[in-house]
Amino acid sequence: DKAHISTMVKPGGGKPGGGGGELRVAGGVHKKQAKKNTQGVSGLEFHKSKGQHILKNPMVVQAIVDKAGVKSTDVVLEIGPGTGNMTMKLLEKAKKVIAIELDPRMVLELQRRVQGTSYERSLQIIHGDFMKVELPYFDLCVANIPYNISSPLTFKLLAHRPAFRAAVIMYQHEFAMRLVAKPGDALYCRLAANCQLLSRVNHLLKVGKNNFRPPPKVDSSVVRIEPRVPPPPINFREWDGLVRLCFGRKNKTLGAIFRQGSTLAALEQNYKTAAALAAAGGAPAGQQGQGQGALQGVEVAFAGEGMDMSDDEDMD
């Protein structure tokens, strides 16, 4: 016999047939599964797995654009524009907006929004993966990025030349706090040391998760990054090797770290290699690739920045 479903609703539940209620059925209580709304006003379904959390609050969008300090002569780079809520605000102030978008559905939505308007010629859309495309010239970067590529994205921007004026980027809140942490802070880490070596960073505002569609599981923060020009004249591979040692074991002092047998052996081997190179007429490791040309190694040297330290966490 088929189970008889009563129309009586459990106290505290919704109306019969309503979303999220509980119905009494033979043998127990049947909880109705309410489908989460992950669609925007354009009918597009957003994929959390791809980091698609669209900023829907117009006041927050406007605040970010205002804090970015967009000039009428600026070429602005936007990473992951989504449906274009921030793009349209940027087009109102900038000379040109270059939007890099991977999802072809979002590309079509962006094209639809500017079609037949005065902004159509001011918007350039690059359909591709930000981590794989060659970046064009830009003065300013303003972006709500996929959080699972926060580290590599940040260091790709910092390695870009000619240097841009500033980047105003939405990060996961915890990642942002690590990024702006100062020496002595509990959150100060390799990520902060490397980023602040190459730039000045400032926290601008915190953005609650309910300002997004679909809402993520974590809050967000907007950070302003201003590259140091010129960059410090050091070898970034060497620097990153040193910083990895220093932050590898947070509960140990630097003295204890550098007295370890494995560390001493590695330092001795590196010294012998550098001495051999110098004797053969090659440049010692510490003098290779200094200055602006050394920035080409930033992405490689700092590539695993967030992954090693669990700094990159998906919004989900």
Side-chain angles (χ1 to χ4, degrees), residues 61-235:
V61 172
Q62 189 62 58
I64 293 172
V65 174
D66 291 343
K67 288 181 180 294
V70 184
K71 299 178 182 178
S72 59
T73 56
D74 280 344
V75 175
V76 179
L77 178 71
E78 187 182 11
I79 306 162
T83 56
N85 293 343
M86 190 178 297
T87 312
M88 301 307 293
K89 291 294 183 181
L90 291 171
L91 285 167
E92 293 176 6
K93 293 193 171 187
K95 175 184 177 182
K96 181 180 181 180
V97 174
I98 302 172
I100 301 178
E101 176 57 60
L102 179 61
D103 192 331
R105 301 171 307 146
M106 303 299 174
V107 171
L108 290 173
E109 176 63 15
L110 277 175
Q111 292 172 337
R112 184 195 67 78
R113 289 191 72 165
V114 298
Q115 189 174 16
T117 70
S118 58
Y119 300 132
E120 190 170 5
R121 292 187 177 183
S122 302
L123 176 63
Q124 176 187 346
I125 302 174
I126 298 176
H127 181 199
D129 184 340
F130 172 82
M131 297 307 302
K132 296 178 181 179
V133 302
E134 184 176 347
L135 300 184
Y137 169 85
F138 62 95
D139 301 295
L140 193 66
C141 176
V142 183
N144 171 27
I145 66 172
Y147 290 3
N148 56 348
I149 59 168
S150 296
S151 285
L153 180 147
T154 300
F155 289 107
K156 177 170 182 173
L157 282 175
L158 289 174
H160 179 67
R161 285 300 180 267
F164 51 92
R165 186 170 75 250
V168 176
I169 301 177
M170 179 93 72
Y171 291 109
Q172 174 191 337
H173 178 68
E174 183 184 348
F175 182 94
M177 292 300 97
R178 289 172 180 264
L179 203 63
V180 303
K182 302 301 179 186
D185 293 349
L187 290 177
Y188 190 67
C189 57
R190 186 164 59 91
L191 171 68
N194 282 340
C195 188
Q196 292 173 35
L197 172 75
L198 300 171
S199 63
R200 289 174 289 274
V201 293
N202 293 288
H203 181 262
L204 297 181
L205 71 152
K206 185 177 180 181
V207 181
K209 52 192 173 185
N210 291 329
N211 291 289
F212 298 87
R213 181 187 293 113
K217 292 182 179 179
V218 294
D219 289 331
S220 305
S221 277
V222 180
V223 173
R224 183 180 181 89
I225 300 174
E226 298 178 5
R228 298 187 189 276
V229 181
I234 66 169
N235 181 291

Side-chain angles (χ1 to χ4, degrees), residues 35-46 213-214:
K35 186 177 179 181
K36 292 182 180 179
N37 179 21
T38 59
Q39 292 186 341
V41 292
S42 304
L44 293 172
E45 183 176 356
F46 303 131
R213 181 187 293 113

